[in-house]
Amino acid sequence: MDKYRLVGERRSDNLATQQATESDEPIDMWEVRITQQGKPRNYISYAMNLFAQGKEKIVLKAMGRAINKAVTIAEILKRKMPLHQINHLTSSEIVDVFEPLEEGLDTVESKRHVSCMTITLSTTNEGIDMHDIGYQPPIPTMGESRGDFSVRHSAVTAPL
């Protein structure tokens, strides 16, 4: 591939028509697109600010290697406040187009499949399908406060 250069990418989703049209729309104010380069604390701060502004629902979207970061961010947010969570996994086909640097060579297209994840977090269960296969209820607090490990330690140190 030394004799070619990348000139473009096309993304064709293998999703339901509803989700395919969502990817073509501009980013909504309640949507957070997670990238591999972004810092988790920036995404967490942004999401917390959206909830503080009165948003009841936000959507975290990630592709490829950024999926593990999106899951981490969702778990941190769920520990900061009680949130309902719905996960959706999909895949997207990306076609890379390479132009030749030398004359006489043809244009090359390379197809690859990338995993995509959408995590919906909501402060209320309105508009949330609790019977969805990707649904996770809020984490119960059980009287613990941030940084309080007394409940866990007492369970570990209790005599048998």
Side-chain angles (χ1 to χ4, degrees):
M1 296 298 285
D2 295 336
K3 298 179 181 182
Y4 291 89
R5 68 181 170 112
L6 180 66
V7 292
E9 286 184 350
R10 287 192 318 261
R11 180 176 156 195
S12 62
D13 294 328
N14 296 333
L15 312 175
T17 56
Q18 173 193 6
Q19 291 176 337
T21 56
E22 285 178 6
S23 66
D24 298 334
E25 294 177 1
I27 298 175
D28 291 318
M29 292 304 296
W30 46 267
E31 183 178 306
V32 182
R33 292 197 178 170
I34 310 296
T35 63
Q36 190 177 358
Q37 289 83 22
K39 293 185 179 181
R41 78 168 166 237
N42 294 341
Y43 295 120
I44 293 166
S45 298
Y46 181 68
M48 292 297 289
N49 286 337
L50 288 176
F51 284 126
Q53 293 171 3
K55 301 284 185 201
E56 291 184 357
K57 178 175 88 168
I58 65 166
V59 177
L60 305 176
K61 290 187 175 183
M63 292 178 69
R65 294 181 182 163
I67 289 176
N68 62 343
K69 187 181 291 187
V71 170
T72 301
I73 290 166
E75 291 300 319
I76 290 170
L77 290 170
K78 284 178 65 175
R79 279 165 176 67
K80 289 185 177 281
M81 60 192 313
L83 294 171
H84 297 268
Q85 177 178 349
I86 293 184
N87 301 322
H88 288 284
L89 291 172
T90 57
S91 69
S92 181
E93 182 180 82
I94 297 180
V95 179
D96 296 325
V97 180
F98 295 93
E99 271 187 357
L101 296 174
E102 299 177 0
E103 290 185 30
L105 297 174
D106 294 331
T107 302
V108 175
E109 289 187 0
S110 170
K111 294 180 183 179
R112 56 191 166 104
H113 292 277
V114 179
S115 299
C116 305
M117 185 171 200
T118 302
I119 303 172
T120 304
L121 298 172
S122 177
T123 56
T124 64
N125 60 359
E126 294 176 14
I128 298 289
D129 181 12
M130 297 177 134
H131 300 291
D132 189 307
I133 195 165
Y135 174 75
Q136 294 180 11
I139 298 172
T141 56
M142 294 190 293
E144 291 185 35
S145 62
R146 201 164 117 193
D148 183 16
F149 296 105
S150 60
V151 176
R152 293 185 195 139
H153 288 305
S154 63
V156 172
T157 58
L160 296 175

